[in-house]
Amino acid sequence: MRLSNYEGSSDLVNLEYHMGPVLSSPSINVYIIWYGNWNPRHQDTIRDFIHSLSPYSYTSHPVFPSVIDWWQTVRLYTDQTGSNVTGDVSLAGESYDWRYSHGKSLSRLTMQSVIKNALEGREALPLDTSRGLYMVLTSWDVQVQDFCRAVCGFHYFTFPSIVGVTLPYAWVGYSGTQCPGLCAYPFAPPVSHQRHYTHSVNDNSEISLFRAPNGDPGVDGMISVMAHELAEASTDPFVNAWYAGDDPTAPTEIADLCVGVYGTGGGGSGYVGSVYKDKWGRGYNVYGVRGRRFLIQWVWDPEKKRCFGPNAMD
């Protein structure tokens, strides 16, 4: 996730298919690697978000607009056989690296060694080469290359020379203590507006700021970044499928085009768009399992040719 976005809709966005695979297996099995010292309540919130992506996790019909409804835009993307991104994302396993196996300062490349470590030992995660998507989540005290400067998260694929096989993976860091104004907005004032912000907006002239729907700006901001990376890892897992631009080393993917857009009219001057807000000022745009509410960014709709989410007003 890069800290930039394309604002609005346009036929000029050159999002193209580059003939690579999408994650179209019957399900995407997400394996979380908890790296560092994690708050159990934050872990529960994140687990519930992942569970909210599976239609089998709901005890009754999901309340609209739901996380599943948001995922339907991601499902519009297909591979060269016409197969769509799968409609079922499930939490298949978890690993706990609470001893900081590779220290508290990680490079992008070291992230792959963290994954390799999680695939070994007595309580190893399964090596799931057909459906697996491995997600490394780093705690508040872990520094990651480019974190809080250029990115809030990223996705890529593992190298056989390090892990032994090629697997899609993503990383997202907890930003609540390191850079909430960059990676947990709109639950914390952006850096450029630290001294002036508003809790209620009537137009696009002021930034939006909401209370976190699950009680912690860092974890709620993290969930939106996770949604961003899951969408892109599913539509461009090996950086040879869906992206805009001519440089595969710096692709503009379906969520990059919509950073900062959470509702109709969003994307300009810090205004996230028209979203819901409860009486306590907690902002959200989708519902999840167990009564959860989340605020997650929109992604690019290849049919409408604009950023879109289920809470759209048009």
Side-chain angles (χ1 to χ4, degrees):
M1 175 182 176
R2 288 176 290 170
L3 302 175
S4 61
N5 72 290
Y6 177 83
E7 298 174 8
S9 61
S10 176
D11 291 330
L12 299 177
V13 173
N14 189 28
L15 184 68
E16 295 183 334
Y17 178 54
H18 299 266
M19 304 306 291
V22 300
L23 298 186
S24 60
S25 59
S27 67
I28 296 172
N29 292 336
V30 175
Y31 298 95
I32 293 180
I33 300 168
W34 302 100
Y35 191 90
N37 181 22
W38 276 93
N39 182 319
R41 289 178 299 175
H42 296 172
Q43 291 176 308
D44 286 342
T45 303
I46 290 170
R47 290 186 188 105
D48 281 348
F49 171 68
I50 299 296
H51 289 315
S52 297
L53 286 161
S54 173
Y56 306 107
S57 296
Y58 294 81
T59 56
S60 59
H61 189 74
V63 176
F64 182 85
S66 68
V67 176
I68 290 177
D69 296 313
W70 172 85
W71 189 255
Q72 295 311 302
T73 303
V74 181
R75 292 209 67 214
L76 294 174
Y77 290 86
T78 62
D79 62 17
Q80 58 185 310
T81 69
S83 298
N84 295 79
V85 170
T86 183
D88 183 25
V89 180
S90 62
L91 179 57
E94 302 175 65
S95 174
Y96 303 88
D97 196 335
W98 56 271
R99 292 187 176 181
Y100 305 86
S101 62
H102 290 76
K104 293 187 177 183
S105 181
L106 305 178
S107 68
R108 285 179 177 247
L109 196 59
T110 303
M111 208 66 67
Q112 298 195 28
S113 297
V114 171
I115 295 170
K116 180 183 180 182
N117 186 68
L119 293 168
E120 299 174 341
R122 285 192 309 169
E123 299 179 356
L125 292 175
L127 181 61
D128 191 344
T129 57
S130 60
R131 301 185 182 185
L133 173 59
Y134 296 82
M135 181 161 280
V136 181
L137 305 180
T138 51
S139 61
W140 63 274
D141 54 346
V142 178
Q143 304 286 328
V144 175
Q145 180 183 356
D146 295 327
F147 185 34
C148 296
R149 291 178 294 278
V151 297
C152 300
F154 65 80
H155 79 92
Y156 206 57
F157 53 88
T158 61
F159 301 152
S161 59
I162 298 176
V163 180
V165 293
T166 300
L167 301 167
Y169 76 93
W171 157 78
V172 180
Y174 178 83
S175 64
T177 53
Q178 294 187 44
C179 57
L182 283 174
C183 296
Y185 178 76
F187 308 120
V191 173
S192 59
H193 293 75
Q194 291 288 341
R195 296 185 180 181
H196 176 70
Y197 57 90
T198 178
H199 278 276
S200 61
V201 296
N202 298 316
D203 53 44
N204 289 23
S205 62
E206 296 179 315
I207 67 167
S208 312
L209 192 63
F210 302 98
R211 295 187 184 280
N214 296 287
D216 185 86
V219 76
D220 275 298
M222 194 175 181
I223 283 170
S224 186
V225 180
M226 288 176 63
H228 176 121
E229 300 303 337
L230 283 168
E232 294 185 341
S234 299
T235 56
D236 194 27
F238 304 111
V239 200
N240 60 1
W242 289 96
Y243 64 86
D246 299 322
D247 184 2
T249 65
T252 299
E253 297 169 308
I254 71 166
D256 293 327
L257 292 164
C258 303
V259 169
V261 181
Y262 297 79
T264 300
S269 303
Y271 178 55
V272 302
S274 180
V275 301
Y276 310 121
K277 185 169 67 171
D278 66 19
K279 63 182 180 181
W280 294 283
R282 296 178 297 202
Y284 62 98
N285 61 359
V286 288
Y287 296 92
V289 298
R290 301 201 313 130
R292 292 281 192 186
R293 299 174 178 182
F294 303 104
L295 185 64
I296 54 180
Q297 71 151 93
W298 285 5
V299 296
W300 190 262
D301 187 311
E303 296 179 353
K304 294 180 172 63
K305 296 183 185 273
R306 63 185 175 98
C307 299
F308 185 76
N311 59 309
M313 300 174 66
D314 53 357

